[in-house]
Amino acid sequence: MSARILPPTPDAIAQAVALLRAGQLVGMPTETVYGLAADASDAEAVARIFAAKGRPNDHPVIVHVAAGADLSRWAASMPDAARRLMDAFWPGPLTLILPRAAGVLDAVTGGQDTVGLRCPSHPAAQALLAAFGGGLAAPSANRFGRVSPTTAAHVADEFGDAVPLVLDGGPCEVGIESTIVDVSTPVPILLRPGHVSALALSEALGGAVLTRAQVDAQRSVPRVSGSLSAHYAPRTPLRLVDAGRLADEVAAETARGRSVGVWSRQNPGGAACWLEAPADPERYAQALYATLRDLDGKGVDVLLFEQPPAAPAWTAVRDRLGRAAVGSGQA
Ligand code: TXA
Ligand code: MG
């Protein structure tokens, strides 16, 4: 059996709210990727998320809130940097890590003294949050380590009847997960790059934001699951190849009797399957996960993706691609 997929009509939202109040999981569209939502104040419901995803219990999940929600229920304090970023980017694809308020479940924070909050801009997510009235814990709706979902069908494929209802908000506009900024520290730290860029963040802050690379050296425990090197991974082995080497690599694989799937701007020729990659980073991000799933399903032996440009606009995409390549090939 598989999940019911319903457009986000008032009736479907009411059904989703009833399921959430009963401790069940609901597939929730957001502008970044689809989330697997549960009542963030119900420990058993949050435990269901971890069970469905096969995710380690000590990984924190983001709490999604409605626009204008009272944040004091979740955050113990609101640093000035948080206010500035919320004013500039909420609702939208930005998650803030804040000092946790007393009552926030350990299952949500992973036992840490901080909580991740996000106010998504997708109208169906906002409608669900407003009708529900509380916070929704929601990681990306994929099995742990696998490719994040950007359509309702992806969510249903991934979980079957473990998720009774998926609200269909159409394909996600952004396509990669939210930017995460830790504002619980004296200087804000960019923990996960995303659509909201480091430059946009520092403009809104009127000051610098540290990158994860700058801080990683001092930190031994991974606080963001996206910081584990293997993530967003297809089952087919994936390699990133510079544009100039693509035709040679396809020929070499083919000579070894291996069929190749390619995602690149120009067709290098000789691939069993080639898809054209968008030349601009926003359209590339939008297409990335659906393309990974699509090519992963073609039954080819290896995937070769053209390495995108090194320019800052491609940072978030390069981050996800690098992790997808590291984790790939583990059927
Ligand atoms: O765009 C998104 O953020 C999507 C949609 C559904 O909102 N959600 C998402 O959730 O990507 P997830 O769980 O796949 O990734 C959230 C990341 C995790 O890597 C988690 O470790 C980190 O946020 N995170 C959550 N709370 C945290 C905290 N208190 N401190 C540090 N990292 C935290
Ligand atoms: Mg995820």
Side-chain angles (χ1 to χ4, degrees):
M1 230 187 73
S2 119
R4 267 176 316 138
I5 298 180
L6 296 176
T9 59
D11 180 59
I13 298 278
Q15 289 185 46
V17 167
L19 286 165
L20 291 165
R21 295 213 170 114
Q24 298 294 316
L25 305 179
V26 169
M28 171 175 72
T30 85
E31 69 279 21
T32 57
V33 300
Y34 275 70
L36 188 57
D39 180 351
S41 61
D42 177 342
E44 275 177 42
V46 175
R48 277 208 178 91
I49 295 179
F50 287 87
K53 279 186 64 97
R55 187 183 200 182
N57 285 324
D58 58 347
H59 280 241
V61 287
I62 296 171
V63 177
H64 296 69
V65 294
D70 174 13
L71 300 181
S72 64
R73 186 171 158 195
W74 307 105
S77 65
M78 199 51 65
D80 187 49
R83 278 187 208 291
R84 284 172 190 251
L85 294 179
M86 281 170 14
D87 286 349
F89 303 111
W90 275 17
L94 175 70
T95 297
L96 297 174
I97 307 298
L98 288 154
R100 78 190 267 191
V104 183
L105 295 174
D106 279 339
V108 166
T109 65
Q112 301 183 68
D113 51 10
T114 53
V115 63
L117 295 183
R118 170 158 129 73
C119 178
S121 62
H122 195 294
Q126 279 298 328
L128 181 62
L129 286 160
F132 179 65
L136 291 177
S140 53
N142 52 278
R143 290 184 188 275
F144 183 64
R146 294 296 179 188
V147 179
S148 300
T150 53
T151 67
H154 292 163
V155 182
D157 288 351
E158 195 92 6
F159 293 108
D161 59 5
V163 178
L165 173 61
V166 182
L167 294 174
D168 186 353
C172 299
E173 227 176 287
V174 174
I176 55 173
E177 301 78 359
S178 59
T179 304
I180 303 182
V181 180
D182 189 346
V183 283
S184 72
T185 49
V187 180
I189 302 168
L190 176 58
L191 294 181
R192 181 171 69 183
H195 180 78
V196 178
S197 68
L199 179 63
L201 291 169
S202 55
E203 278 172 6
L205 286 166
V209 40
L210 292 174
T211 63
R212 199 175 60 197
Q214 288 166 313
V215 179
D216 260 0
Q218 302 153 31
R219 214 178 247 168
S220 50
V221 186
R223 299 219 316 171
V224 176
S225 69
S227 74
L228 298 174
S229 47
H231 222 79
Y232 318 109
R235 293 182 162 78
T236 315
L238 165 67
R239 287 207 314 274
L240 306 177
V241 179
D242 287 335
R245 292 218 23 87
L246 209 45
D248 286 352
E249 296 265 338
V250 174
E253 291 291 353
T254 309
R256 275 181 232 139
R258 283 150 61 92
S259 59
V260 187
V262 173
W263 201 32
S264 59
R265 284 172 293 183
Q266 310 280 325
N267 189 345
C273 177
W274 171 73
L275 295 177
E276 184 176 355
D280 91 86
E282 299 197 342
R283 283 182 43 235
Y284 189 106
Q286 210 173 46
L288 174 59
Y289 292 142
T291 303
L292 273 170
R293 280 171 189 266
D294 185 9
L295 287 174
D296 203 17
K298 297 287 187 202
V300 295
D301 296 312
V302 61
L303 301 177
L304 301 180
F305 280 20
E306 177 184 341
Q307 179 77 68
W314 293 87
T315 301
V317 152
R318 288 173 65 99
D319 169 76
R320 303 307 192 279
L321 275 177
R323 295 169 205 289
V326 169
S328 68
Q330 294 156 26

